[in-house]
Short mmCIF file of all heavy atoms in Angstrom, two decimals:
data_model
loop_
_atom_site.label_atom_id
_atom_site.label_comp_id
_atom_site.label_asym_id
_atom_site.label_seq_id
_atom_site.Cartn_x
_atom_site.Cartn_y
_atom_site.Cartn_z
N GLU V 64 7.97 31.14 12.00
CA GLU V 64 7.73 31.72 13.34
C GLU V 64 8.64 32.90 13.67
O GLU V 64 8.15 33.94 14.12
CB GLU V 64 7.82 30.62 14.40
CG GLU V 64 6.61 29.69 14.36
CD GLU V 64 6.78 28.44 15.20
OE1 GLU V 64 7.91 28.15 15.66
OE2 GLU V 64 5.77 27.74 15.41
N PRO V 65 9.94 32.82 13.46
CA PRO V 65 10.74 33.99 13.81
C PRO V 65 10.40 35.20 12.95
O PRO V 65 10.59 36.33 13.37
CB PRO V 65 12.18 33.52 13.58
CG PRO V 65 12.10 32.31 12.73
CD PRO V 65 10.77 31.70 12.98
N GLY V 66 9.87 34.95 11.75
CA GLY V 66 9.51 36.05 10.86
C GLY V 66 8.28 36.78 11.35
O GLY V 66 8.27 38.01 11.47
N PHE V 67 7.22 36.05 11.66
CA PHE V 67 6.01 36.75 12.06
C PHE V 67 6.08 37.23 13.51
O PHE V 67 5.34 38.13 13.89
CB PHE V 67 4.73 35.95 11.76
CG PHE V 67 4.52 34.67 12.55
CD1 PHE V 67 4.20 34.70 13.89
CD2 PHE V 67 4.58 33.45 11.92
CE1 PHE V 67 3.96 33.52 14.60
CE2 PHE V 67 4.35 32.27 12.60
CZ PHE V 67 4.04 32.31 13.96
N CYS V 68 6.95 36.65 14.30
CA CYS V 68 7.09 37.12 15.68
C CYS V 68 8.02 38.33 15.77
O CYS V 68 7.79 39.23 16.60
CB CYS V 68 7.64 36.00 16.57
SG CYS V 68 6.50 34.64 16.83
N LEU V 69 9.05 38.32 14.97
CA LEU V 69 10.06 39.39 15.03
C LEU V 69 10.04 40.13 13.70
O LEU V 69 9.20 40.98 13.49
CB LEU V 69 11.42 38.78 15.35
CG LEU V 69 11.47 37.97 16.66
CD1 LEU V 69 12.76 37.16 16.76
CD2 LEU V 69 11.33 38.90 17.87
N ASP V 70 10.96 39.82 12.83
CA ASP V 70 10.95 40.34 11.47
C ASP V 70 11.87 39.47 10.63
O ASP V 70 12.46 38.51 11.14
CB ASP V 70 11.38 41.82 11.41
CG ASP V 70 12.79 42.06 11.97
OD1 ASP V 70 13.65 41.16 11.88
OD2 ASP V 70 13.04 43.16 12.49
N ARG V 71 12.01 39.81 9.37
CA ARG V 71 12.75 38.92 8.49
C ARG V 71 14.24 38.87 8.83
O ARG V 71 14.87 37.83 8.69
CB ARG V 71 12.55 39.33 7.03
CG ARG V 71 13.12 38.28 6.08
CD ARG V 71 13.31 38.73 4.66
NE ARG V 71 14.20 37.80 3.98
CZ ARG V 71 15.52 37.89 4.01
NH1 ARG V 71 16.11 38.88 4.65
NH2 ARG V 71 16.27 36.98 3.39
N TRP V 73 15.63 39.04 11.74
CA TRP V 73 15.82 38.11 12.85
C TRP V 73 15.48 36.69 12.46
O TRP V 73 16.05 35.74 13.00
CB TRP V 73 15.05 38.58 14.07
CG TRP V 73 15.85 39.59 14.83
CD1 TRP V 73 15.67 40.94 14.88
CD2 TRP V 73 17.02 39.32 15.62
NE1 TRP V 73 16.65 41.52 15.64
CE2 TRP V 73 17.49 40.55 16.11
CE3 TRP V 73 17.71 38.16 15.95
CZ2 TRP V 73 18.62 40.66 16.91
CZ3 TRP V 73 18.85 38.26 16.76
CH2 TRP V 73 19.29 39.50 17.23
N ALA V 74 14.54 36.51 11.56
CA ALA V 74 14.24 35.16 11.09
C ALA V 74 15.47 34.54 10.46
O ALA V 74 15.80 33.38 10.70
CB ALA V 74 13.09 35.21 10.08
N LEU V 77 18.25 33.92 13.34
CA LEU V 77 17.96 32.83 14.27
C LEU V 77 17.92 31.48 13.54
O LEU V 77 18.40 30.47 14.05
CB LEU V 77 16.64 33.10 15.00
CG LEU V 77 16.64 34.33 15.89
CD1 LEU V 77 15.27 34.51 16.55
CD2 LEU V 77 17.73 34.26 16.96
N ARG V 382 1.45 37.70 15.67
CA ARG V 382 2.44 38.23 16.61
C ARG V 382 2.02 38.01 18.06
O ARG V 382 2.82 38.20 18.97
CB ARG V 382 2.68 39.71 16.34
CG ARG V 382 3.41 39.96 15.04
CD ARG V 382 3.53 41.43 14.72
NE ARG V 382 4.51 42.11 15.53
CZ ARG V 382 5.82 42.12 15.30
NH1 ARG V 382 6.32 41.42 14.30
NH2 ARG V 382 6.65 42.81 16.08
N CYS V 387 5.73 33.27 20.12
CA CYS V 387 6.51 34.50 19.94
C CYS V 387 7.35 34.82 21.17
O CYS V 387 8.41 35.44 21.07
CB CYS V 387 5.59 35.66 19.57
SG CYS V 387 4.95 35.52 17.88
N MET V 390 10.41 32.94 20.67
CA MET V 390 11.26 33.59 19.67
C MET V 390 11.97 34.81 20.28
O MET V 390 13.14 35.07 19.99
CB MET V 390 10.43 34.01 18.46
CG MET V 390 9.94 32.83 17.62
SD MET V 390 11.29 31.85 16.90
CE MET V 390 11.05 30.29 17.75
N ARG V 391 11.26 35.55 21.10
CA ARG V 391 11.89 36.70 21.74
C ARG V 391 13.00 36.25 22.68
O ARG V 391 14.07 36.88 22.75
CB ARG V 391 10.84 37.55 22.47
CG ARG V 391 9.94 38.35 21.54
CD ARG V 391 9.06 39.33 22.29
NE ARG V 391 7.98 38.69 23.01
CZ ARG V 391 6.78 38.43 22.48
NH1 ARG V 391 6.52 38.76 21.22
NH2 ARG V 391 5.84 37.86 23.20
N LEU V 393 14.72 33.56 22.37
CA LEU V 393 15.82 33.07 21.52
C LEU V 393 16.64 34.24 20.99
O LEU V 393 17.86 34.19 20.91
CB LEU V 393 15.25 32.25 20.37
CG LEU V 393 16.24 31.43 19.54
CD1 LEU V 393 16.87 30.34 20.40
CD2 LEU V 393 15.55 30.80 18.34
N LYS V 394 15.94 35.29 20.66
CA LYS V 394 16.62 36.51 20.18
C LYS V 394 17.54 37.05 21.27
O LYS V 394 18.68 37.42 21.00
CB LYS V 394 15.58 37.54 19.76
CG LYS V 394 16.13 38.92 19.39
CD LYS V 394 15.00 39.81 18.87
CE LYS V 394 15.47 41.24 18.63
NZ LYS V 394 15.46 42.07 19.81
N THR V 408 15.02 46.73 16.55
CA THR V 408 15.28 45.63 15.64
C THR V 408 16.19 46.01 14.50
O THR V 408 16.68 45.16 13.79
CB THR V 408 13.96 45.12 15.04
OG1 THR V 408 13.30 46.18 14.36
CG2 THR V 408 13.05 44.58 16.12
N GLU O 210 1.23 41.79 11.66
CA GLU O 210 2.21 40.75 11.36
C GLU O 210 3.23 41.20 10.33
O GLU O 210 4.42 40.92 10.44
CB GLU O 210 1.48 39.51 10.85
CG GLU O 210 2.36 38.36 10.47
CD GLU O 210 1.54 37.21 9.90
OE1 GLU O 210 0.45 36.95 10.45
OE2 GLU O 210 1.98 36.59 8.93
N ALA O 213 5.38 44.72 11.66
CA ALA O 213 6.40 44.63 12.72
C ALA O 213 6.42 45.96 13.47
O ALA O 213 5.43 46.37 14.03
CB ALA O 213 7.74 44.24 12.15
N ASP O 214 7.55 46.67 13.46
CA ASP O 214 7.66 47.91 14.22
C ASP O 214 7.13 49.12 13.45
O ASP O 214 7.15 50.23 13.96
CB ASP O 214 9.12 48.15 14.58
CG ASP O 214 10.02 48.16 13.34
OD1 ASP O 214 9.66 47.53 12.33
OD2 ASP O 214 11.08 48.79 13.38
#
Side-chain angles (χ1 to χ4, degrees):
Chain V
E64 287 169 348
F67 67 72
C68 291
L69 303 168
D70 59 31
R71 190 195 163 274
W73 276 105
L77 296 179
R382 291 174 74 82
C387 288
M390 290 298 115
R391 287 189 286 271
L393 192 65
K394 174 175 173 276
T408 58
Chain O
E210 179 183 320
D214 55 334

